[in-house]
Amino acid sequence: MTHLLEIRDLTCGYGRINVLHNISLAIGAHGNVGLFGPNGHGKTTLLRAVSGLVRPRSGSISFNGTELTTLSPKAIVELGVIHVSQGNRLFPDLTIGECLSLGAYTKAARQREAASREEVLSIFPKLKERWTQKVRTLSGGERQMVSIATALMSCPKMLILDEPTLGLSPKVKEELCAAVIRISGHGVPIICVEQDVEFLLELSQHLYLINHGEVGAEIKPGQTMDHSEIMSLYFGK
Ligand SMILES: Nc1ncnc2c1ncn2[C@@H]1O[C@H](COP(=O)(O)OP(=O)(O)OP(=O)(O)O)[C@@H](O)[C@H]1O
Ligand SMILES: [Mg+2]
């Protein structure tokens, strides 16, 4: 099977500590991947290694056949790998319209800007109503929508989402999850870290539990799992 992204024997860390230990996982050409696991066990580090923000100590990351571990974050973005970081990283004084326009910064994305904007607003219709509103006046859920919408404006070939629903109320979370599913319907493959495994199962064909910087368990495409099985995976039997 050909993979869109293939991570092999990846080791990463900070200072003298290794956080990821020879981890290997793959994302298929037509599927999403979900990552879950306890806090502090290396999920964000793994995503940051893919987007070039953490330099691996060993191992390889291949995207569409291109080795990413030697490339700069800018070069990785130019390949279409777009990372929406955990937490709010938007400029507070920009309007929604300005954020989305910034997202379309590559030449190719700029040429498609009007069409992308229409597509993005069909995924997040709420942003249209608030087009001229500044980020600082938006709720947490709306900011998360702007972050993801801005990423989509760059016409990603793969979208990386790190806990997009963190801190949102159940109703807003439901709205955001539905939008992420809609993005996937537009044919953009997604790697998503989330604590809500049931949402991940809806979004992804393939799930990995990241535990102590290793793959602790895997839910493979076609494999079904009920709530109690997932909980025992997470917390141990
Ligand atoms: N910049 C950094 N410098 C030093 N240590 C770091 C840095 N970033 C993360 N760590 C450490 O690496 C480990 C893994 O962190 P990481 O953020 O990858 O975990 P995570 O699984 O995403 O956690 P969470 O669920 O809380 O987001 C933690 O022990 C964390 O303290
Ligand atoms: Mg994290």
Side-chain angles (χ1 to χ4, degrees):
M1 188 168 79
T2 54
H3 291 117
L4 181 66
L5 183 79
E6 197 161 6
I7 298 174
R8 279 228 187 122
D9 298 327
L10 191 75
T11 296
C12 287
Y14 307 96
R16 284 187 292 163
I17 309 286
N18 281 343
V19 171
L20 300 175
H21 311 281
N22 284 313
I23 195 166
S24 296
L25 50 91
I27 165 167
H30 303 290
N32 301 322
V33 161
L35 306 177
F36 65 105
N39 294 127
H41 283 229
K43 304 177 298 296
T44 295
T45 303
L46 179 64
L47 301 184
R48 288 170 64 83
V50 173
S51 49
L53 300 169
V54 169
R55 194 56 69 201
R57 289 176 173 166
S58 60
S60 71
I61 305 173
S62 155
F63 175 70
N64 259 334
T66 303
E67 179 59 37
L68 300 187
T69 50
T70 52
L71 298 182
S72 67
K74 181 169 179 280
I76 294 172
V77 165
E78 280 161 3
L79 289 174
V81 177
I82 309 295
H83 185 162
V84 180
S85 302
Q86 187 171 348
N88 167 33
R89 299 281 174 91
L90 295 166
F91 294 111
D93 285 324
L94 294 187
T95 65
I96 292 182
E98 287 164 343
C99 287
L100 265 62
S101 189
L102 268 187
Y105 81 96
T106 63
K107 196 172 167 209
R110 188 67 71 202
Q111 281 165 353
R112 280 201 85 244
E113 187 174 351
S116 302
R117 191 186 307 119
E118 209 164 298
E119 208 172 314
V120 165
L121 292 177
S122 76
I123 294 166
F124 296 105
K126 208 176 193 179
L127 299 185
K128 202 181 207 164
E129 298 159 22
R130 294 168 194 248
W131 194 248
T132 56
Q133 212 169 309
K134 288 195 175 182
V135 164
R136 65 163 78 250
T137 67
L138 300 175
S139 71
E142 288 159 353
R143 286 178 200 206
Q144 194 55 264
M145 287 178 196
V146 176
S147 297
I148 300 173
T150 302
L152 288 176
M153 289 299 291
S154 61
C155 306
K157 294 204 170 62
M158 187 176 76
L159 189 61
I160 299 177
L161 302 178
D162 195 354
E163 303 215 32
T165 73
L166 192 70
L168 304 185
S169 70
K171 189 170 169 289
V172 179
K173 178 179 165 184
E174 204 176 301
E175 203 180 325
L176 195 81
C177 288
V180 173
I181 304 270
R182 284 199 290 278
I183 294 170
S184 166
H186 283 251
V188 181
I190 298 173
I191 303 185
C192 184
V193 168
E194 255 297 330
Q195 298 298 351
D196 180 346
V197 179
E198 275 156 29
F199 162 62
L200 282 184
L201 280 169
E202 197 183 338
L203 177 73
S204 326
Q205 293 71 37
H206 205 152
L207 267 65
Y208 292 93
L209 167 69
I210 308 296
N211 207 3
H212 295 294
E214 295 175 351
V215 173
E218 210 177 323
I219 305 176
K220 292 189 172 156
Q223 191 180 349
T224 52
M225 229 178 231
D226 67 23
H227 185 78
S228 64
E229 286 173 303
I230 293 164
M231 287 302 111
S232 64
L233 256 188
Y234 207 118
F235 296 111
K237 304 238 186 256

